[in-house]
Amino acid sequence: MNRSDLAAVRCADDAPAFDYYEPTGNECEIFEQAYRHKLPLLIKGPTGCGKTRFVIHMAQRLGLELTTVACHDDLSAADLVGRHLITAGETRWSDGPLTRVVRNGGICYLDEIVEARKDTTVVLHPLTDDRRILPIDRTGEQLLAPDNFMLVVSYNPGYQNALKSLKPSTRQRFLALQFNFPPPAVEARIVATESGVGANMAERIVALAGRLRTLAQQDLEEAASTRLLVYTARLIAGGMNPQLACEVALIEPLSDDAMVQAALREVVRAQMG
Ligand SMILES: Nc1ncnc2c1ncn2[C@@H]1O[C@H](COP(=O)(O)OP(=O)(O)OP(=O)(O)O)[C@@H](O)[C@H]1O
Ligand SMILES: [Mg+2]
């Protein structure tokens, strides 16, 4: 697997303004406390509820470089820590993204951590208890994480099955925050700010989401996300007919089942017609 597959995303810490993030509780304070106390943080929550945006925002607020690794079932410990590479007949060590952050400081954010293999997550253990070290067997190094190193991981418990959960010995090394969809007034502010629709339309879209979320609880793998509401609102702000916007940004992404779609469409018609 090559390095670009790791989807390492970097945010300049001299970015002119913080990415917009609307707090829904005391999560910003908790994140700051976790950082100050050098404790790793686990964020759980459904798709599209703001986990990634929150981490980006907090990295900017704390002036820390952010490195994101999208975890998958092929992700090996070497993909995180590093490996020897042979170039022009010479073998040289190449740091993985985790090692780079441990050397330089910043936030290492492992997204969808439950996808990573168990033997991969085990490399996090000495880094996430009070030792704060990253042993690199291949080079014989023991890196001590600097004060400005923080590990953040996230996953979506909705996708979890018996095979895809964190070992208790991994989970119990993290502070944990549960994310959910924001309360309606907050979600309407997010939808309006992220899309440019007026406050009234944002409130209607959020009210629609509330009805879709209760109606479709049993039939859908995941409820309508804040992300999809923002998409819907952007299309409407751009002049698209609201029913059509809901069709392509809500109904079709939520389900392939014709019966479920028909039920969702009914609610859309009643709310947006
Ligand atoms: N609290 C919030 N403040 C600002 N924008 C938000 C907030 N919550 C959600 N959003 C909007 O929802 C979109 C999706 O959020 P984000 O990408 O952070 O979700 P996520 O929880 O990381 O989802 P996934 O699990 O699928 O990666 C954001 O791009 C943003 O437009
Ligand atoms: Mg995300």
Side-chain angles (χ1 to χ4, degrees), residues 184-259:
V186 178
E187 194 166 37
R189 217 158 39 232
I190 295 169
V191 169
T193 310
E194 288 282 285
S195 70
V197 294
N200 265 345
M201 178 53 83
E203 280 163 23
R204 277 174 71 193
I205 293 169
V206 169
L208 167 66
R211 297 188 59 190
L212 292 178
R213 284 169 187 161
T214 35
L215 170 101
Q217 229 160 24
Q218 279 89 35
D219 300 316
L220 296 176
E221 240 182 305
E222 286 270 291
S225 62
T226 307
R227 176 187 293 125
L228 286 183
L229 304 190
V230 170
Y231 287 1
T232 308
R234 280 187 188 155
L235 294 178
I236 294 172
M240 189 182 281
N241 169 292
Q243 303 256 356
L244 179 58
C246 291
E247 184 70 31
V248 294
L250 282 169
I251 297 172
E252 288 293 347
L254 281 172
S255 178
D256 297 325
D257 182 310
M259 300 256 290

Side-chain angles (χ1 to χ4, degrees), residues 46-53 68 109 111-112 154 227:
T47 184
C49 70
K51 302 182 295 293
T52 297
R53 177 66 66 90
T68 302
Y109 173 34
D111 202 1
E112 277 306 323
S154 68
R227 176 187 293 125

Side-chain angles (χ1 to χ4, degrees), residues 109-229:
Y109 173 34
L110 306 181
D111 202 1
E112 277 306 323
I113 179 85
V114 286
E115 295 294 334
R117 296 193 323 227
K118 297 271 187 297
D119 55 321
T120 307
T121 41
V122 162
V123 306
L124 304 175
H125 282 195
L127 199 53
T128 47
D129 55 34
D130 57 356
R131 291 172 285 173
R132 282 174 60 91
I133 53 165
L134 179 66
I136 310 180
D137 297 343
R138 298 292 180 82
T139 63
E141 285 176 286
Q142 289 246 7
L143 301 180
L144 180 63
D147 286 353
N148 67 346
F149 169 81
M150 181 174 183
L151 184 71
V152 180
V153 303
S154 68
Y155 77 101
N156 181 341
Y159 301 149
Q160 203 181 340
N161 59 42
L163 294 171
K164 284 187 180 166
S165 58
L166 286 180
K167 279 154 55 119
S169 58
T170 306
R171 295 177 71 104
Q172 292 202 23
R173 286 176 146 75
F174 290 83
L175 299 184
L177 270 178
Q178 173 72 52
F179 270 47
N180 274 309
F181 299 121
V186 178
E187 194 166 37
R189 217 158 39 232
I190 295 169
V191 169
T193 310
E194 288 282 285
S195 70
V197 294
N200 265 345
M201 178 53 83
E203 280 163 23
R204 277 174 71 193
I205 293 169
V206 169
L208 167 66
R211 297 188 59 190
L212 292 178
R213 284 169 187 161
T214 35
L215 170 101
Q217 229 160 24
Q218 279 89 35
D219 300 316
L220 296 176
E221 240 182 305
E222 286 270 291
S225 62
T226 307
R227 176 187 293 125
L228 286 183
L229 304 190

